[in-house]
Amino acid sequence: MSTPIVNRLNVPMPKIGIRPTVDGRRGGIRESLEDITMNMAHAVAKLLSENIRHSNGLPVECVIADSCIGGVAEAAQTAEKFAREGVGVSITVTPSWCYPLETMDTDPLIPKAIWGFNGTDRPGAVYLAAVLAAHNQKGLPAFGIYGKDVQDFGDDSIPADVQEKLIRFAKAGLAVATIRGKAYLSLGSVSMGIAGCIADESFFHEYLGMRNEYVDMTEFVRRMERGIYDKEEYEKALRWVKEHCREGEDVNPDHQKRTREQKDRDWETVVKMTLIARDLMVGNPKLAEMGYGEEALGHHAIAAGFQGQRQWTDHYPNGDFMEAILTSSFDWNGIREPYIMSTENDALNAVTMLLGHLLTDAAQIFADVRTYWSPEAVKRVTGKELEGMAAGGIIHLINSGPAALDGTGQQTKDGAPAMKPFWEITGEEVEKCLQATKWCPAVDFFRGGGFSTDFQTKGGMPVTMARINLVKGLGPVLQLAEGYTVDIPQDVHDILDQRTNQTWPTTWFVPNLTGEGVFKDVYSVMNNWGSNHCALSYGHIGADLITLASMLRIPVSMHNVPAEKCFRPSAWSAFGTADAEGADFRACAAYGPLYAGGRGR
């Protein structure tokens, strides 16, 4: 059921550049270091190429400098090679002292890290401290990597703590490089007055390096009525839908229920919408064969959002099927990389989903942060007490259908429910996801009909809830909460679910509590959430999000990640060590957006 691993945006994927630096003094010093330093570079390249893939499944390529860098001439030659090779992330390695200003990477747009070998024979750690000071003095933030334990000179192994930081840095840096130059595609405009739908040009350009593209929803009508989609694929998709997408309960009153004929037409429409939305994002060469060369190109969109409500959904079927299938890791063509498609054109949630996807390689759950259910409230309305991990209360994450079908939790890792990179998903797991999902006729306020997904996320998955918000006078700010999906008794679920909408997918979420601040209890997490939406990623990726946010100069206002796991550029500590959260805000404000055209505001 698998499909080939492809790069669907047709531009080269960014590479990791590795810079081995040495003491440039000849006559025995440099010569004694060349092989050891280059071995470090090759060891890092091997580590990263074996442990990281791009989110599209392609292997990560590492580019090593042609020679060790002992001075400015070789630094310049390496910079030219990296530019020619498409390097988007830079890692400098050394076991020894080098001349910092002559050997450092000065590209202001490429995320950079330095691993200074912790050894006593040649002071790589001294160079690390000196070159980080140079980066900080020049306003070029860099991540410092320094192993906890002293190693013997010539030891080419990479300690576990160094490996963790190298991989975290590289994966986050690749995310920064991957989104640069891509587009966010608004399909429609603002939905129901939600401010997150405003695709803020300054935010996308200055913080993410992205373009904004806009297409009115009438383009769907034009393409449907004029047949600007792959007819053969449409027939294939419709057959797949009829075989695999089970209809669920129609809860509308009799006078609002659509006839069988209307529902069949709705299925035809939503399948066409899915094909059209995908083609609008990434193009389709089949359209060129049909005489639509411009449409065949797409909008180079790495993420998109569909407005839907209300101008579309008052007349046409809703976008729930389109959003749910595109954001899942499979469709009628097989298993493939998820697309990032935000419901209600919530651009900020789309960006959060995109960052989560690039860090985990897996599908994302889009949801409303709908309700905090206290233990007392649950007992009052159900007569039952919450137990286990849910005993302190639960947050109901639910929306009408854009949650990826991966969110059913029917995939497994080591026997536990999971959401996996598409290349790890089996055909049997796809079938389980589909069987766990029902497609319910849309409720009354979707006046044009359509179908919403209905499933319950399996409990026991480690997940991270996240959201980027824009705040006047502050700019973008990220908040996140690591926690777990939980199961509750089915009869309790049914009562709580029916008080909202039983035809929508539900994820019961409990954050990890620290006993302090906004993580003192579940209610405080809900009460301090900055928007009506969130993105949910598989795994506890809070530390990875924090590293990525610092690269983009986006402060983190709320998180429950242990302090020892937070990894930011070394300059951040100069803004304060007693209050890491405040230092993060000060550092991001001082450096300003990554792509603003200058350092600082």
Side-chain angles (χ1 to χ4, degrees), residues 11 27 81 155 180 236 293 396 422 442 596:
V11 293
K81 178 180 182 178
D155 181 357
R180 183 182 177 188
K236 176 183 179 181
H396 195 179
F422 73 92

Side-chain angles (χ1 to χ4, degrees), residues 174-188:
L174 285 171
V176 172
T178 298
I179 61 179
R180 183 182 177 188
K182 307 301 191 303
Y184 175 76
L185 175 62
S186 292
L187 297 168

Side-chain angles (χ1 to χ4, degrees), residues 133 218 244 313 321 380 404 431 470 491 535 562 574 589:
T218 56
H244 295 284
T313 56
F321 175 84
R380 179 178 61 83
E431 289 302 318
L470 288 179
D491 57 344

Side-chain angles (χ1 to χ4, degrees), residues 203-261:
F203 167 64
F204 276 93
H205 172 66
E206 295 183 358
Y207 283 90
L208 306 176
M210 293 178 65
R211 299 173 182 264
N212 290 85
E213 291 283 290
Y214 307 90
V215 172
D216 192 90
M217 289 184 293
T218 56
E219 178 65 5
F220 283 85
V221 179
R222 183 180 81 94
R223 294 196 184 200
M224 285 190 289
E225 292 186 354
R226 301 192 180 194
I228 308 175
Y229 54 87
D230 185 336
K231 310 297 193 306
E232 292 182 5
E233 185 181 2
Y234 163 69
E235 294 296 338
K236 176 183 179 181
L238 195 59
R239 288 194 300 271
W240 182 87
V241 165
K242 290 179 179 179
E243 181 178 353
H244 295 284
C245 297
R246 300 180 302 136
E247 284 190 23
E249 182 182 4
D250 189 340
V251 300
N252 291 295
D254 289 341
H255 70 279
Q256 289 183 328
K257 289 182 178 178
R258 297 168 74 79
T259 66
R260 182 69 257 168
E261 182 181 4

Side-chain angles (χ1 to χ4, degrees), residues 496-515:
L496 303 186
D497 200 39
Q498 288 171 12
R499 291 174 67 100
T500 300
N501 191 305
Q502 68 266 41
T503 70
W504 294 352
T506 281
T507 303
W508 297 110
F509 172 72
V510 174
N512 294 338
L513 301 178
T514 65

Side-chain angles (χ1 to χ4, degrees), residues 361-421:
D361 304 320
Q364 306 291 295
I365 294 176
F366 179 113
D368 277 0
V369 185
R370 184 61 66 100
T371 310
Y372 163 68
W373 277 101
S374 68
E376 295 78 13
V378 172
K379 179 71 179 293
R380 179 178 61 83
V381 302
T382 70
K384 302 288 184 68
E385 292 187 359
L386 295 174
E387 298 178 345
M389 194 174 291
I394 49 179
I395 296 176
H396 195 179
L397 303 180
I398 182 172
N399 199 287
S400 61
L405 271 59
D406 305 57
T408 56
Q410 295 293 324
Q411 302 161 22
T412 59
K413 278 188 177 181
D414 301 321
M419 295 168 65
K420 302 191 293 190

